[in-house]
C-alpha cells in the first residue's frame, strides 16, 4: 500500500525526504511498516466532517471504481480520488523498497 505524502508549502519531495520518512517509520513503528511506495499528493481527500476516508482510498487503490466507493459531494477534493484511481491503474513491477514513483499530477 502506498503512503500518500502532502508536503508543506515550499518543501521538496525528494530522496532525502523519502529517507527521513522511512527512517522515522522504521524507528517509531517497525521496518515492516515502511511503505513500498511514497506518493506525493497535493491534498488528501476528506469527508465534509474533516475525516480522511481510509477505506474508500484503499478500495480505489485495490482497483474499485471511484463511483462505487464514494458519492459525488462526499469529499472535499474529489479530483484527488480520481488521481488515486489513475495511480492504481498504472502497471507496477517488483516490490519491497524498489524504485519510488510519483502519482500523476
Amino acid at each position: 500500500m502506498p503512503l500518500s505524502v502532502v508536503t508543506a508549502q515550499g518543501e521538496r519531495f525528494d530522496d532525502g525526504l523519502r529517507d527521513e520518512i522511512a527512517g522515522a517509520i522504521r524507528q517509531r513503528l517497525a521496518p515492516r511498516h515502511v511503505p513500498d511506495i511514497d506518493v506525493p499528493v497535493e491534498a488528501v481527500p476528506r469527508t465534509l466532517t474533516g475525516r480522511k476516508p481510509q477505506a474508500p482510498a484503499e478500495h480505489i487503490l485495490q482497483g474499485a471504481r471511484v463511483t462505487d466507493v464514494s458519492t459525488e459531494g462526499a469529499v472535499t477534493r474529489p479530483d484527488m480520488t480520481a488521481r488515486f484511481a489513475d495511480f492504481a491503474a498504472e502497471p507496477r513491477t517488483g516490490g519491497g523498497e524498489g524504485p519510488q514513483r510519483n502519482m500523476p499530477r
Side-chain angles (χ1 to χ4, degrees), residues 3-97:
L3 174 67
S4 300
V5 179
V6 179
T7 57
Q9 181 109 12
E11 181 80 26
R12 288 189 49 166
F13 189 81
D14 56 15
D15 289 338
L17 182 57
R18 280 190 178 104
D19 292 342
E20 186 178 333
I21 292 168
I25 293 171
R26 235 183 238 106
Q27 181 181 16
R28 295 179 186 157
L29 300 172
R32 67 186 175 94
H33 293 294
V34 175
D36 293 331
I37 301 170
D38 300 315
V39 182
V41 295
E42 296 171 21
V44 174
R46 293 182 181 268
T47 65
L48 300 179
T49 58
R51 299 178 74 177
K52 297 174 195 167
Q54 182 177 344
E58 287 178 6
H59 293 302
I60 291 168
L61 290 171
Q62 292 168 353
R65 293 185 319 196
V66 172
T67 56
D68 291 342
V69 298
S70 179
T71 57
E72 188 174 335
V75 294
T76 57
R77 290 290 304 265
D79 58 315
M80 293 309 300
T81 56
R83 289 196 179 133
F84 282 112
D86 293 342
F87 177 80
E90 290 180 11
R92 287 187 284 288
T93 59
E97 292 187 29

